[in-house]
Amino acid sequence: MQSNGIIFILSAPSGTGKTTICKLLTQKLPDLKFSISHTTREPRNGEVEGTDYHFTSKKEFEEKIERGEFLEWAKVFKNYYGTALESVDRHHLNGDDVLIELDVQGAQSLRDIHYKAVFIFIMPPSLEALETRLNNRGTEPASTIQERLKISEKEIQLSLLYDYILTNVDAEQTTDHLLSIITAEHFRKERYKPSSPDLDNLINDEAHT
Ligand code: 5GP
């Protein structure tokens, strides 16, 4: 089935403010659908099953891998995270835009299979700012924060895998930039569908001269 929807891949080092940005994006673009990932990590305070993640046991996750139910999956901070094919297809086949949030390993594996999507990376203003945000969030012990910071440094080095890089200084502004990218992607010439046969003929004539 042909879909007019675009798949957007969004990655950001932990603590960059991605969750806030995604919440703002939902308000500004209510039609955008989010793929809900599966994870084996424990829910954080306030996280809701089926909204933030599908919280899954390790056994269940490994069975899903065996059955080939994931578009991609990765081990991040000792836990599994994965995007189920169904989580994307259910929206994309309806012609909706879908946003998939995943880490750099996930983005890398989708690049490897030449997955058709727009890849966007959100950069923290600095490593110091990232550390401050992780400390202020207060959801992880100091040792985990240090581990996350080390991983973030590697992720930042791999940001060149992406089509767009945004620095998140102000979440409102970053969300507006994200919106601009989403809008502009719909006007790429590859997605242009002539509204009348004469325009279609003109384009095709030009292409063949
Ligand atoms: P957190 O535990 O902070 O929610 O997420 C940890 C990391 O896992 C983040 O970098 C996040 O982008 C990544 N992540 C979330 N969902 C997925 C997914 O479905 N696949 C992959 N590869 N990474 C994910």
Side-chain angles (χ1 to χ4, degrees):
M1 190 186 186
Q2 190 72 27
S3 169
N4 295 324
I6 303 174
I7 298 180
F8 295 92
I9 307 292
L10 188 71
S11 302
S14 187
T16 302
K18 190 176 43 182
T19 310
T20 310
I21 292 165
C22 286
K23 279 197 183 124
L24 288 169
L25 198 57
T26 319
Q27 289 161 14
K28 293 180 190 234
L29 203 59
D31 288 342
L32 178 68
K33 304 288 189 273
F34 284 74
S35 156
I36 311 294
S37 298
H38 286 69
T39 182
T40 58
R41 86 149 159 73
E42 291 294 315
R44 293 192 188 115
N45 265 349
E47 283 186 331
V48 178
E49 160 61 34
T51 302
D52 296 288
Y53 280 107
H54 296 293
F55 296 99
T56 312
S57 70
K58 190 165 174 257
K59 182 170 176 286
E60 214 181 316
F61 198 102
E62 285 171 346
E63 283 168 2
K64 282 181 172 294
I65 297 175
E66 291 267 304
R67 292 197 296 266
E69 290 181 20
F70 287 114
L71 169 64
E72 63 73 42
W73 61 271
K75 219 166 191 182
V76 189
F77 313 125
K78 302 187 189 105
N79 286 303
Y80 284 122
Y81 291 80
T83 309
L85 283 162
E86 196 268 339
S87 300
V88 180
D89 287 351
R90 62 203 294 254
H91 302 302
H92 192 229
L93 295 178
N94 279 339
D96 290 322
D97 285 354
V98 188
L99 189 136
I100 310 177
E101 200 199 307
L102 40 71
D103 79 324
V104 172
Q105 299 175 73
Q108 175 96 66
S109 49
L110 293 182
R111 281 293 199 205
D112 289 347
I113 59 166
H114 304 291
Y115 191 66
K116 234 175 130 197
V118 178
F119 290 68
I120 307 168
F121 188 88
I122 304 182
M123 191 73 85
S126 66
L127 285 175
E128 292 75 31
L130 197 60
E131 188 167 6
T132 308
R133 282 191 200 167
L134 284 173
N135 282 321
N136 290 346
R137 194 161 79 177
T139 49
E140 270 102 12
S143 57
T144 311
I145 292 179
Q146 286 313 312
E147 203 178 324
R148 285 192 180 239
L149 282 170
K150 263 192 229 136
I151 293 170
S152 299
E153 284 180 36
K154 286 205 190 110
E155 291 193 319
I156 289 167
Q157 283 167 353
L158 287 171
S159 57
L160 292 176
L161 273 175
Y162 291 74
D163 300 308
Y164 295 92
I165 302 178
L166 304 176
T167 300
N168 183 32
V169 178
D170 172 74
E172 275 281 350
Q173 194 189 49
T174 306
T175 311
D176 287 340
H177 292 156
L178 207 45
L179 267 174
S180 309
I181 294 169
I182 294 173
T183 306
E185 281 294 329
H186 278 274
F187 294 95
R188 277 195 174 276
K189 69 170 185 239
E190 303 85 70
R191 301 191 214 279
Y192 174 66
K193 296 211 173 60
S195 50
S196 75
D198 51 350
L199 290 177
D200 197 13
N201 290 340
L202 269 180
I203 292 171
N204 281 324
D205 285 352
E206 183 60 24
H208 291 110
T209 51

